[in-house]
Amino acid sequence: EFKEQQIHSLLQITQAINNNMSARGLMKLFEDILVKQLGIRKFALFISNINWMCTNAHGIDRHEAETLTLHHVLSFKQITHLRRAPHELARCFDVVVPVYHKESPLAFTFLGGLDENQGTIEEQLNYIQTISSIIAVAIENKKLFRSQVRQRFLKTELEMAGQMQTMLIPGKLPDNERVSFAGVYLPHEEVGGDYYDYMELNNHECIFCIADISGKGMAAALLMASFQSSVRSYAEKVRSLDVMVERLNTRVNEITKGEKFITLFLAKYNYLTRELEYVNAGHNPALLLHDGEVRLLQEGCTILGMFDELPYINVQKMILPGEFQVFCYTDGLIDLQNPGLEALDIPHLSEFLIANQHMSPSQLNKAMVDFLVDYKGGRKIADDISLLTCKVYADSGSR
């Protein structure tokens, strides 16, 4: 009769698993088999769901069971008779039945008051260990399946976000007889927090910028999309760079509540007057190559989003006769290390610009990417890398 009961219970469990019964349903079925079929008077089932917890209990309150046993569960590696040890838990339970997969614990069942009319104690324990193993593995498989589904969903979402983010990066930049722009965007993950842009204000003025949002992944990408929208909106309405930066700082604070920050290099150029204006808001200094010398464009203000109101804004202006080039980049570039753990620095970049000043912006960016691949060796890129290169040709205002 006991064997027939075992077979019937195993059939119940098999059918429940085949019918995709929920984890909660499987645990309730386990409880019913122990209490109603085997006559167990007291039991507590512990299963890990991030943290170990008592999921089912009979003859004892679940909270009480957790309080008594939670810090003991991982000490049991095999079926243990608590009264033989003796163990301090023997005042509540007689036996603990663990379930392991290889070295990983899946479940622990604490039992008290086994019915000796249901076969020998050892037979009952072997049977309980068998059915608890089947149910624990089924529940673990459900968790793994849900995790895989979430990962596939997240991967799909990230791929879609990456495609949308790529659409926000300018696909076509000006390349004509008076000016040439070229950009490179190398995200560390599917989506990232780097951003660059170019906007024509009228026939003789343009704005260009590069920014880096703190953090990576989806949150940084969403903030970047919102920030790009704000930059474009303010560029159309505001002609003063200091007012524009003030409004951008306010907008970043409204969105992030002080939890994210943005570094920004923002520049405006007038082809008629040949005046370059810029504000560097805590970003890596852009490099200006003019008359064979490299100047660092690093004046401006603090990082956006750090203060409700920016303590100062220094807009820099300069007249640049003849040809010049501006090289902008994000910190992923100078954080890149070679196998000797040496990072790129400003002198490296300055030498590179001077040595390749005859190149067009697109050629220069390609040469820089090739240089980075050689420089890093087999090391992985640890951050997003973006490049924006601008070359303004001589006498561009009259063309």
Side-chain angles (χ1 to χ4, degrees):
E1 183 179 352
F2 180 61
K3 293 297 183 184
E4 288 179 358
Q5 199 174 60
Q6 288 181 325
I7 293 172
H8 175 71
S9 298
L10 287 171
L11 181 60
Q12 275 186 292
I13 295 170
T14 303
Q15 289 174 337
I17 293 172
N18 289 339
N19 292 332
N20 198 28
M21 180 180 281
S22 67
R24 182 173 297 180
L26 290 173
M27 289 184 284
K28 184 64 172 66
L29 176 59
F30 181 54
E31 178 180 343
D32 289 343
I33 290 173
L34 293 183
V35 176
K36 296 178 181 179
Q37 295 184 14
L38 297 181
I40 303 295
R41 292 191 291 276
K42 184 186 294 185
F43 99 100
L45 174 64
F46 286 79
I47 287 181
S48 174
N49 183 17
I50 301 178
N51 296 313
W52 287 95
M53 60 183 295
C54 182
T55 60
N56 295 64
H58 175 78
I60 185 172
D61 180 73
R62 281 172 53 188
H63 178 70
E64 181 185 357
E66 284 188 350
T67 302
L68 291 171
T69 63
L70 199 54
H71 60 287
H72 290 292
V73 289
L74 295 179
S75 64
F76 299 107
K77 306 299 182 183
Q78 56 192 2
I79 293 177
T80 303
H81 292 265
L82 299 173
R83 296 187 185 278
R84 294 178 186 174
H87 195 281
E88 63 178 282
L89 295 178
R91 60 192 175 91
C92 290
F93 299 104
D94 300 328
V95 183
V96 57
V97 179
V99 175
Y100 279 79
H101 174 66
K102 297 181 180 178
E103 299 298 320
S104 301
L106 300 182
F108 296 88
T109 304
F110 291 84
L111 303 167
L114 278 70
D115 187 353
E116 296 184 2
N117 295 323
Q118 299 290 341
T120 67
I121 297 298
E122 294 305 320
E123 284 179 329
Q124 291 186 62
L125 293 178
N126 289 334
Y127 173 60
I128 291 170
Q129 189 174 47
T130 298
I131 61 174
S132 60
S133 296
I134 294 171
I135 289 177
V137 169
I139 291 172
E140 185 68 16
N141 287 339
K142 285 179 177 292
K143 289 193 290 186
L144 291 173
F145 177 74
R146 285 196 298 269
S147 176
Q148 291 171 353
V149 169
R150 284 196 298 268
Q151 289 176 359
R152 285 199 296 269
F153 177 76
L154 180 59
K155 183 175 176 60
T156 302
E157 290 289 296
L158 287 173
E159 288 174 351
M160 292 175 62
Q163 293 170 5
M164 292 176 63
Q165 188 175 32
T166 302
M167 293 169 63
L168 297 175
I169 298 295
K172 187 175 182 181
L173 293 168
D175 183 15
N176 50 55
E177 59 182 2
R178 71 176 186 175
V179 66
S180 179
F181 277 86
V184 171
Y185 176 53
L186 303 173
H188 172 242
E189 299 174 350
E190 286 89 344
V191 289
D194 282 6
Y195 157 63
Y196 64 82
D197 211 345
Y198 165 88
M199 292 147 279
E200 281 191 3
L201 301 179
N202 47 55
N203 290 333
H204 60 276
E205 286 183 305
C206 70
I207 277 183
F208 59 96
C209 66
I210 191 166
D212 190 358
I213 287 83
S214 61
K216 301 180 180 66
M218 185 72 76
L222 292 174
L223 177 56
M224 187 272 268
S226 177
F227 186 73
Q228 185 218 36
S229 175
S230 298
V231 169
R232 286 183 163 264
S233 175
Y234 296 147
E236 293 176 357
K237 302 172 185 176
V238 180
R239 289 294 179 256
S240 172
L241 288 190
D242 55 349
V243 175
M244 186 173 172
V245 170
E246 283 178 353
R247 293 188 180 182
L248 287 171
N249 182 67
T250 300
R251 183 60 181 152
V252 172
N253 275 298
E254 289 174 351
I255 298 172
T256 67
K257 310 300 182 186
E259 294 183 359
K260 293 282 185 181
F261 309 106
I262 296 179
T263 65
L264 169 71
F265 175 82
L266 177 68
K268 181 166 72 171
Y269 182 69
N270 188 311
Y271 294 102
L272 295 180
T273 64
R274 299 194 68 84
E275 182 180 65
L276 177 71
E277 298 179 60
Y278 81 86
V279 174
N280 189 325
H283 197 76
N284 301 106
L287 304 184
L288 170 66
L289 177 60
H290 183 236
D291 287 340
E293 294 185 358
V294 174
R295 295 167 60 182
L296 304 185
L297 306 184
Q298 55 190 349
E299 300 297 324
C301 63
T302 61
I303 295 172
L304 303 184
M306 181 172 289
F307 301 103
D308 292 337
E309 293 185 7
L310 295 171
Y312 62 89
I313 302 176
N314 296 325
V315 178
Q316 299 296 304
K317 301 180 181 182
M318 60 192 75
I319 303 297
L320 298 170
E323 183 176 289
F324 69 88
Q325 186 164 275
V326 179
F327 179 72
C328 310
Y329 55 95
T330 54
D331 59 7
L333 178 66
I334 57 174
D335 288 343
L336 192 70
Q337 295 180 333
N338 63 15
L341 303 183
E342 297 171 321
L344 279 173
D345 55 20
I346 299 299
H348 276 111
L349 297 181
S350 300
E351 291 173 7
F352 187 89
L353 286 181
I354 293 172
N356 297 284
Q357 58 185 300
H358 61 283
M359 292 183 175
S360 68
S362 60
Q363 291 171 333
L364 181 77
N365 287 352
K366 183 180 184 306
M368 177 61 75
V369 171
D370 292 340
F371 172 74
L372 295 179
V373 172
D374 290 338
Y375 187 81
K376 73 182 181 63
R379 294 179 60 82
K380 292 183 179 180
I381 295 176
D383 197 0
D384 306 326
I385 296 177
S386 293
L387 313 175
L388 179 64
T389 305
C390 162
K391 177 176 278 192
V392 177
Y393 300 107
D395 301 324
S396 62
S398 61
R399 298 184 182 182

